[in-house]
CSV table of all heavy atoms in Angstrom, one decimal:
chain,number,residue,atom,x,y,z
D,1,ASP,N,0.8,-1.2,0.0
D,1,ASP,CA,0.0,0.0,0.0
D,1,ASP,C,0.8,1.3,0.0
D,1,ASP,O,0.3,2.4,-0.3
D,1,ASP,CB,-1.1,0.0,1.1
D,1,ASP,CG,-0.5,0.0,2.5
D,1,ASP,OD1,0.8,0.0,2.7
D,1,ASP,OD2,-1.3,0.1,3.5
D,2,GLU,N,2.1,1.2,0.3
D,2,GLU,CA,3.0,2.4,0.2
D,2,GLU,C,3.4,2.7,-1.3
D,2,GLU,O,3.9,3.7,-1.6
D,2,GLU,CB,4.3,2.1,1.0
D,2,GLU,CG,4.0,1.9,2.5
D,2,GLU,CD,3.5,3.2,3.2
D,2,GLU,OE1,3.9,4.3,2.8
D,2,GLU,OE2,2.6,3.1,4.0
D,3,VAL,N,3.2,1.7,-2.2
D,3,VAL,CA,3.5,1.8,-3.6
D,3,VAL,C,2.3,2.4,-4.3
D,3,VAL,O,1.2,2.0,-4.1
D,3,VAL,CB,4.0,0.5,-4.1
D,3,VAL,CG1,4.4,0.6,-5.6
D,3,VAL,CG2,5.1,-0.1,-3.3
D,4,ASN,N,2.6,3.3,-5.3
D,4,ASN,CA,1.6,3.8,-6.1
D,4,ASN,C,0.8,2.7,-6.8
D,4,ASN,O,1.4,1.8,-7.5
D,4,ASN,CB,2.2,4.7,-7.2
D,4,ASN,CG,1.3,5.4,-8.1
D,4,ASN,OD1,0.4,4.7,-8.6
D,4,ASN,ND2,1.5,6.7,-8.4
D,5,PRO,N,-0.6,2.7,-6.7
D,5,PRO,CA,-1.3,1.6,-7.4
D,5,PRO,C,-1.1,1.5,-8.9
D,5,PRO,O,-1.1,0.4,-9.4
D,5,PRO,CB,-2.8,2.0,-7.0
D,5,PRO,CG,-2.7,2.8,-5.8
D,5,PRO,CD,-1.4,3.6,-5.9
D,6,ALA,N,-0.9,2.6,-9.5
D,6,ALA,CA,-0.6,2.6,-11.0
D,6,ALA,C,0.7,1.9,-11.3
D,6,ALA,O,0.8,1.1,-12.3
D,6,ALA,CB,-0.6,4.0,-11.6
D,7,TYR,N,1.7,2.1,-10.4
D,7,TYR,CA,3.0,1.4,-10.6
D,7,TYR,C,2.8,-0.1,-10.3
D,7,TYR,O,3.4,-0.9,-11.0
D,7,TYR,CB,4.0,2.0,-9.6
D,7,TYR,CG,5.4,1.5,-9.9
D,7,TYR,CD1,6.2,2.1,-10.8
D,7,TYR,CD2,5.9,0.4,-9.2
D,7,TYR,CE1,7.5,1.6,-11.1
D,7,TYR,CE2,7.2,-0.1,-9.4
D,7,TYR,CZ,8.0,0.5,-10.4
D,7,TYR,OH,9.2,0.0,-10.6
D,8,ILE,N,2.0,-0.5,-9.3
D,8,ILE,CA,1.8,-1.9,-9.1
D,8,ILE,C,1.1,-2.5,-10.3
D,8,ILE,O,1.5,-3.6,-10.8
D,8,ILE,CB,0.9,-2.1,-7.8
D,8,ILE,CG1,1.6,-1.6,-6.6
D,8,ILE,CG2,0.5,-3.6,-7.7
D,8,ILE,CD1,0.7,-1.6,-5.3
D,9,LEU,N,0.1,-1.8,-10.9
D,9,LEU,CA,-0.6,-2.3,-12.1
D,9,LEU,C,0.4,-2.5,-13.2
D,9,LEU,O,0.4,-3.5,-13.9
D,9,LEU,CB,-1.7,-1.4,-12.5
D,9,LEU,CG,-2.4,-1.7,-13.8
D,9,LEU,CD1,-3.1,-3.0,-13.8
D,9,LEU,CD2,-3.4,-0.6,-14.2
D,10,ALA,N,1.2,-1.5,-13.5
D,10,ALA,CA,2.2,-1.6,-14.6
D,10,ALA,C,3.1,-2.8,-14.4
D,10,ALA,O,3.4,-3.5,-15.3
D,10,ALA,CB,3.0,-0.3,-14.7
D,11,SER,N,3.6,-3.0,-13.1
D,11,SER,CA,4.4,-4.1,-12.8
D,11,SER,C,3.7,-5.4,-13.0
D,11,SER,O,4.3,-6.4,-13.5
D,11,SER,CB,5.0,-4.0,-11.4
D,11,SER,OG,5.7,-2.8,-11.3
D,12,ARG,N,2.4,-5.4,-12.6
D,12,ARG,CA,1.7,-6.7,-12.8
D,12,ARG,C,1.5,-7.0,-14.2
D,12,ARG,O,1.6,-8.2,-14.6
D,12,ARG,CB,0.3,-6.5,-12.1
D,12,ARG,CG,-0.5,-7.8,-12.2
D,12,ARG,CD,-1.9,-7.7,-11.5
D,12,ARG,NE,-2.6,-9.0,-11.6
D,12,ARG,CZ,-3.8,-9.1,-11.1
D,12,ARG,NH1,-4.5,-8.2,-10.6
D,12,ARG,NH2,-4.4,-10.3,-11.2
D,13,ILE,N,1.2,-6.0,-15.1
D,13,ILE,CA,1.1,-6.3,-16.5
D,13,ILE,C,2.4,-6.8,-17.1
D,13,ILE,O,2.4,-7.8,-17.8
D,13,ILE,CB,0.7,-5.0,-17.2
D,13,ILE,CG1,-0.8,-4.6,-16.8
D,13,ILE,CG2,0.8,-5.1,-18.7
D,13,ILE,CD1,-1.2,-3.2,-17.2
D,14,LEU,N,3.5,-6.1,-16.8
D,14,LEU,CA,4.8,-6.5,-17.3
D,14,LEU,C,5.2,-7.9,-16.9
D,14,LEU,O,5.5,-8.8,-17.7
D,14,LEU,CB,5.9,-5.5,-16.8
D,14,LEU,CG,7.3,-5.9,-17.2
D,14,LEU,CD1,7.5,-5.9,-18.7
D,14,LEU,CD2,8.3,-5.0,-16.5
D,15,TRP,N,5.1,-8.2,-15.6
D,15,TRP,CA,5.5,-9.6,-15.1
D,15,TRP,C,4.5,-10.6,-15.5
D,15,TRP,O,4.9,-11.8,-15.7
D,15,TRP,CB,5.8,-9.5,-13.6
D,15,TRP,CG,7.0,-8.7,-13.4
D,15,TRP,CD1,7.1,-7.5,-12.8
D,15,TRP,CD2,8.4,-9.1,-13.8
D,15,TRP,NE1,8.4,-7.1,-12.8
D,15,TRP,CE2,9.2,-8.0,-13.4
D,15,TRP,CE3,8.9,-10.2,-14.5
D,15,TRP,CZ2,10.6,-8.0,-13.7
D,15,TRP,CZ3,10.3,-10.2,-14.7
D,15,TRP,CH2,11.1,-9.1,-14.3
D,16,SER,N,3.2,-10.3,-15.7
D,16,SER,CA,2.2,-11.3,-16.2
D,16,SER,C,2.6,-11.7,-17.6
D,16,SER,O,2.5,-12.8,-18.0
D,16,SER,CB,0.8,-10.7,-16.1
D,16,SER,OG,0.4,-10.6,-14.8
D,17,MET,N,3.0,-10.6,-18.4
D,17,MET,CA,3.4,-10.9,-19.8
D,17,MET,C,4.6,-11.8,-19.8
D,17,MET,O,4.6,-12.8,-20.6
D,17,MET,CB,3.6,-9.6,-20.5
D,17,MET,CG,3.7,-9.8,-22.0
D,17,MET,SD,5.3,-9.3,-22.9
D,17,MET,CE,6.5,-8.9,-21.7
D,18,VAL,N,5.6,-11.5,-19.0
D,18,VAL,CA,6.8,-12.4,-19.0
D,18,VAL,C,6.4,-13.8,-18.5
D,18,VAL,O,6.9,-14.8,-19.2
D,18,VAL,CB,7.8,-11.7,-18.0
D,18,VAL,CG1,9.0,-12.7,-17.8
D,18,VAL,CG2,8.4,-10.4,-18.6
D,19,PHE,N,5.7,-13.9,-17.5
D,19,PHE,CA,5.3,-15.3,-17.0
D,19,PHE,C,4.5,-16.0,-18.0
D,19,PHE,O,4.8,-17.2,-18.3
D,19,PHE,CB,4.5,-15.1,-15.7
D,19,PHE,CG,4.0,-16.4,-15.1
D,19,PHE,CD1,4.9,-17.2,-14.4
D,19,PHE,CD2,2.7,-16.8,-15.2
D,19,PHE,CE1,4.5,-18.4,-13.9
D,19,PHE,CE2,2.3,-18.0,-14.7
D,19,PHE,CZ,3.2,-18.8,-14.0
D,20,CYS,N,3.5,-15.4,-18.6
D,20,CYS,CA,2.6,-16.0,-19.6
D,20,CYS,C,3.4,-16.3,-20.9
D,20,CYS,O,3.2,-17.4,-21.5
D,20,CYS,CB,1.4,-15.2,-20.0
D,20,CYS,SG,0.2,-15.0,-18.6
D,21,GLY,N,4.4,-15.4,-21.2
D,21,GLY,CA,5.2,-15.7,-22.4
D,21,GLY,C,6.1,-17.0,-22.1
D,21,GLY,O,6.2,-17.8,-23.1
D,22,GLY,N,6.6,-17.2,-20.9
D,22,GLY,CA,7.3,-18.4,-20.6
D,22,GLY,C,6.4,-19.6,-20.7
D,22,GLY,O,6.9,-20.6,-21.2
D,23,ILE,N,5.2,-19.5,-20.3
D,23,ILE,CA,4.2,-20.7,-20.4
D,23,ILE,C,4.0,-21.0,-21.9
D,23,ILE,O,4.0,-22.1,-22.3
D,23,ILE,CB,2.9,-20.4,-19.6
D,23,ILE,CG1,3.2,-20.4,-18.1
D,23,ILE,CG2,1.9,-21.4,-20.0
D,23,ILE,CD1,2.1,-20.0,-17.2
D,24,VAL,N,3.7,-19.9,-22.7
D,24,VAL,CA,3.5,-20.1,-24.1
D,24,VAL,C,4.6,-20.8,-24.7
D,24,VAL,O,4.5,-21.7,-25.6
D,24,VAL,CB,3.2,-18.7,-24.8
D,24,VAL,CG1,3.2,-18.8,-26.3
D,24,VAL,CG2,1.8,-18.2,-24.3
D,25,LEU,N,5.9,-20.4,-24.4
D,25,LEU,CA,7.1,-21.1,-24.9
D,25,LEU,C,7.1,-22.5,-24.4
D,25,LEU,O,7.4,-23.5,-25.2
D,25,LEU,CB,8.3,-20.3,-24.5
D,25,LEU,CG,8.6,-19.0,-25.2
D,25,LEU,CD1,9.8,-18.3,-24.6
D,25,LEU,CD2,8.8,-19.2,-26.7
D,26,LEU,N,6.9,-22.7,-23.1
D,26,LEU,CA,7.0,-24.0,-22.5
D,26,LEU,C,6.0,-25.0,-23.2
D,26,LEU,O,6.3,-26.2,-23.4
D,26,LEU,CB,6.7,-23.9,-21.0
D,26,LEU,CG,6.9,-25.2,-20.2
D,26,LEU,CD1,8.4,-25.6,-20.2
D,26,LEU,CD2,6.5,-25.0,-18.8
D,27,ILE,N,4.8,-24.6,-23.4
D,27,ILE,CA,3.8,-25.5,-24.0
D,27,ILE,C,3.7,-25.4,-25.5
D,27,ILE,O,2.8,-26.0,-26.1
D,27,ILE,CB,2.4,-25.3,-23.3
D,27,ILE,CG1,1.9,-23.9,-23.6
D,27,ILE,CG2,2.4,-25.6,-21.9
D,27,ILE,CD1,0.4,-23.6,-23.1
D,28,ASN,N,4.7,-24.7,-26.1
D,28,ASN,CA,4.8,-24.6,-27.5
D,28,ASN,C,3.6,-24.1,-28.3
D,28,ASN,O,3.1,-24.7,-29.2
D,28,ASN,CB,5.2,-26.0,-28.1
D,28,ASN,CG,5.9,-26.0,-29.4
D,28,ASN,OD1,6.5,-24.9,-29.7
D,28,ASN,ND2,5.9,-27.1,-30.1
D,29,ARG,N,3.2,-22.9,-27.9
D,29,ARG,CA,2.1,-22.2,-28.6
D,29,ARG,C,2.5,-21.1,-29.5
D,29,ARG,O,1.7,-20.2,-29.8
D,29,ARG,CB,1.1,-21.7,-27.5
D,29,ARG,CG,0.4,-22.7,-26.6
D,29,ARG,CD,-0.7,-23.5,-27.4
D,29,ARG,NE,-1.5,-24.2,-26.5
D,29,ARG,CZ,-1.3,-25.4,-26.0
D,29,ARG,NH1,-0.2,-26.1,-26.4
D,29,ARG,NH2,-2.1,-26.0,-25.2
D,30,GLN,N,3.7,-21.0,-29.9
D,30,GLN,CA,4.3,-19.9,-30.7
D,30,GLN,C,3.5,-19.8,-32.0
D,30,GLN,O,3.2,-18.7,-32.5
D,30,GLN,CB,5.7,-20.1,-31.0
D,30,GLN,CG,6.6,-20.1,-29.8
D,30,GLN,CD,6.9,-21.5,-29.2
D,30,GLN,OE1,6.0,-22.3,-29.0
D,30,GLN,NE2,8.1,-21.7,-28.8
D,31,ASP,N,3.1,-20.9,-32.6
D,31,ASP,CA,2.3,-20.8,-33.9
D,31,ASP,C,1.0,-20.1,-33.6
D,31,ASP,O,0.5,-19.4,-34.5
D,31,ASP,CB,2.1,-22.2,-34.4
D,31,ASP,CG,3.3,-22.9,-35.0
D,31,ASP,OD1,4.3,-22.2,-35.2
D,31,ASP,OD2,3.3,-24.1,-35.2
D,32,GLN,N,0.4,-20.3,-32.5
D,32,GLN,CA,-0.9,-19.7,-32.2
D,32,GLN,C,-0.7,-18.2,-32.0
D,32,GLN,O,-1.6,-17.4,-32.4
D,32,GLN,CB,-1.6,-20.3,-31.0
D,32,GLN,CG,-2.0,-21.7,-31.2
D,32,GLN,CD,-2.7,-22.3,-30.0
D,32,GLN,OE1,-3.1,-21.6,-29.1
D,32,GLN,NE2,-2.7,-23.6,-29.9
D,33,ILE,N,0.4,-17.8,-31.5
D,33,ILE,CA,0.8,-16.3,-31.3
D,33,ILE,C,0.9,-15.7,-32.7
D,33,ILE,O,0.3,-14.7,-33.0
D,33,ILE,CB,2.1,-16.1,-30.5
D,33,ILE,CG1,1.9,-16.7,-29.1
D,33,ILE,CG2,2.5,-14.7,-30.6
D,33,ILE,CD1,1.0,-15.9,-28.2
D,34,LYS,N,1.6,-16.4,-33.6
D,34,LYS,CA,1.8,-15.9,-35.0
D,34,LYS,C,0.4,-15.8,-35.7
D,34,LYS,O,0.1,-14.9,-36.4
D,34,LYS,CB,2.7,-16.9,-35.8
D,34,LYS,CG,4.1,-16.8,-35.3
D,34,LYS,CD,5.0,-17.8,-36.1
D,34,LYS,CE,6.3,-17.9,-35.5
D,34,LYS,NZ,7.1,-19.0,-36.1
D,35,ALA,N,-0.5,-16.8,-35.4
D,35,ALA,CA,-1.8,-16.8,-36.0
D,35,ALA,C,-2.6,-15.6,-35.5
D,35,ALA,O,-3.4,-14.9,-36.3
D,35,ALA,CB,-2.6,-18.1,-35.7
D,36,VAL,N,-2.4,-15.2,-34.3
D,36,VAL,CA,-3.1,-14.0,-33.8
D,36,VAL,C,-2.7,-12.8,-34.5
D,36,VAL,O,-3.5,-11.9,-34.9
D,36,VAL,CB,-2.9,-13.9,-32.2
D,36,VAL,CG1,-3.4,-12.5,-31.7
D,36,VAL,CG2,-3.6,-15.0,-31.5
D,37,PHE,N,-1.4,-12.6,-34.7
D,37,PHE,CA,-0.8,-11.4,-35.4
D,37,PHE,C,-1.3,-11.4,-36.8
D,37,PHE,O,-1.4,-10.3,-37.4
D,37,PHE,CB,0.7,-11.4,-35.3
D,37,PHE,CG,1.2,-10.9,-34.0
D,37,PHE,CD1,1.9,-11.8,-33.2
D,37,PHE,CD2,1.0,-9.6,-33.6
D,37,PHE,CE1,2.4,-11.3,-31.9
D,37,PHE,CE2,1.5,-9.2,-32.4
D,37,PHE,CZ,2.2,-10.0,-31.6
D,38,ARG,N,-1.7,-12.5,-37.4
D,38,ARG,CA,-2.2,-12.5,-38.8
D,38,ARG,C,-3.7,-12.2,-38.9
D,38,ARG,O,-4.2,-11.9,-39.9
D,38,ARG,CB,-1.9,-13.8,-39.5
D,38,ARG,CG,-0.4,-14.0,-39.8
D,38,ARG,CD,-0.3,-15.3,-40.7
D,38,ARG,NE,-0.7,-16.5,-40.1
D,38,ARG,CZ,0.1,-17.3,-39.4
D,38,ARG,NH1,1.4,-17.0,-39.2
D,38,ARG,NH2,-0.3,-18.4,-38.9
D,39,ASP,N,-4.4,-12.2,-37.8
D,39,ASP,CA,-5.8,-12.0,-37.7
D,39,ASP,C,-6.1,-10.7,-37.0
D,39,ASP,O,-6.1,-10.5,-35.8
D,39,ASP,CB,-6.5,-13.2,-36.9
D,39,ASP,CG,-8.0,-13.1,-36.9
D,39,ASP,OD1,-8.6,-12.1,-37.1
D,39,ASP,OD2,-8.6,-14.2,-36.5
D,40,ARG,N,-6.4,-9.7,-37.9
D,40,ARG,CA,-6.6,-8.3,-37.4
D,40,ARG,C,-7.7,-8.2,-36.3
D,40,ARG,O,-7.6,-7.5,-35.3
D,40,ARG,CB,-6.9,-7.3,-38.5
D,40,ARG,CG,-5.8,-7.0,-39.3
D,40,ARG,CD,-6.2,-6.0,-40.4
D,40,ARG,NE,-5.1,-5.1,-40.6
D,40,ARG,CZ,-5.1,-4.0,-41.3
D,40,ARG,NH1,-6.3,-3.6,-41.7
D,40,ARG,NH2,-4.1,-3.3,-41.5
D,41,ARG,N,-8.8,-8.9,-36.6
D,41,ARG,CA,-10.0,-8.9,-35.7
D,41,ARG,C,-9.6,-9.5,-34.3
D,41,ARG,O,-9.9,-8.9,-33.3
D,41,ARG,CB,-11.2,-9.7,-36.3
D,41,ARG,CG,-12.4,-9.7,-35.4
D,41,ARG,CD,-13.5,-10.6,-35.9
D,41,ARG,NE,-14.7,-10.5,-35.1
D,41,ARG,CZ,-14.8,-11.2,-34.0
D,41,ARG,NH1,-13.9,-12.0,-33.5
D,41,ARG,NH2,-15.9,-11.2,-33.3
D,42,GLU,N,-8.9,-10.6,-34.3
D,42,GLU,CA,-8.5,-11.2,-33.1
D,42,GLU,C,-7.5,-10.3,-32.3
D,42,GLU,O,-7.6,-10.2,-31.1
D,42,GLU,CB,-7.8,-12.6,-33.4
D,42,GLU,CG,-7.4,-13.4,-32.2
D,42,GLU,CD,-8.6,-14.1,-31.5
D,42,GLU,OE1,-9.8,-13.9,-31.9
D,42,GLU,OE2,-8.4,-14.9,-30.6
D,43,CYS,N,-6.6,-9.7,-33.1
D,43,CYS,CA,-5.6,-8.7,-32.5
D,43,CYS,C,-6.4,-7.6,-31.8
D,43,CYS,O,-6.1,-7.2,-30.6
D,43,CYS,CB,-4.7,-8.2,-33.5
D,43,CYS,SG,-3.1,-9.0,-33.5
D,44,LEU,N,-7.3,-7.0,-32.5
D,44,LEU,CA,-8.1,-5.9,-31.9
D,44,LEU,C,-8.9,-6.3,-30.7
D,44,LEU,O,-8.9,-5.6,-29.7
D,44,LEU,CB,-9.0,-5.3,-33.0
D,44,LEU,CG,-9.9,-4.1,-32.5
D,44,LEU,CD1,-9.0,-3.0,-32.1
D,44,LEU,CD2,-10.9,-3.7,-33.6
D,45,LEU,N,-9.5,-7.5,-30.8
D,45,LEU,CA,-10.3,-8.0,-29.7
D,45,LEU,C,-9.4,-8.2,-28.5
D,45,LEU,O,-9.8,-7.9,-27.4
D,45,LEU,CB,-11.0,-9.3,-30.1
D,45,LEU,CG,-12.2,-9.8,-29.3
D,45,LEU,CD1,-13.2,-8.7,-29.1
D,45,LEU,CD2,-12.8,-11.0,-30.0
D,46,LEU,N,-8.2,-8.8,-28.7
D,46,LEU,CA,-7.3,-9.0,-27.5
D,46,LEU,C,-6.8,-7.7,-27.0
D,46,LEU,O,-6.5,-7.6,-25.8
D,46,LEU,CB,-6.2,-10.0,-28.0
D,46,LEU,CG,-6.7,-11.5,-28.2
D,46,LEU,CD1,-5.6,-12.3,-28.8
D,46,LEU,CD2,-7.1,-12.1,-26.8
D,47,PHE,N,-6.6,-6.7,-27.8
D,47,PHE,CA,-6.1,-5.4,-27.4
D,47,PHE,C,-7.2,-4.8,-26.5
D,47,PHE,O,-6.9,-4.3,-25.4
D,47,PHE,CB,-5.8,-4.5,-28.5
D,47,PHE,CG,-5.4,-3.1,-28.1
D,47,PHE,CD1,-4.1,-2.9,-27.7
D,47,PHE,CD2,-6.3,-2.1,-28.2
D,47,PHE,CE1,-3.7,-1.7,-27.3
D,47,PHE,CE2,-5.9,-0.8,-27.8
D,47,PHE,CZ,-4.6,-0.6,-27.4
D,48,ILE,N,-8.5,-4.9,-26.9
D,48,ILE,CA,-9.6,-4.4,-26.1
D,48,ILE,C,-9.7,-5.2,-24.8
D,48,ILE,O,-9.9,-4.6,-23.7
D,48,ILE,CB,-10.9,-4.3,-26.9
D,48,ILE,CG1,-10.8,-3.4,-28.1
D,48,ILE,CG2,-12.1,-3.9,-26.0
D,48,ILE,CD1,-11.9,-3.5,-29.1
């Protein structure tokens, strides 16, 4: 609670991405990541 909540959020986003990226690599889902980047609608939906 001494830390700025926005900073905690930013850190949570960053480290969640790193952790999830590790899982995606571990379970070999890189092709699905590439497929998302080829699908504009899916990219936009995941951005939202």
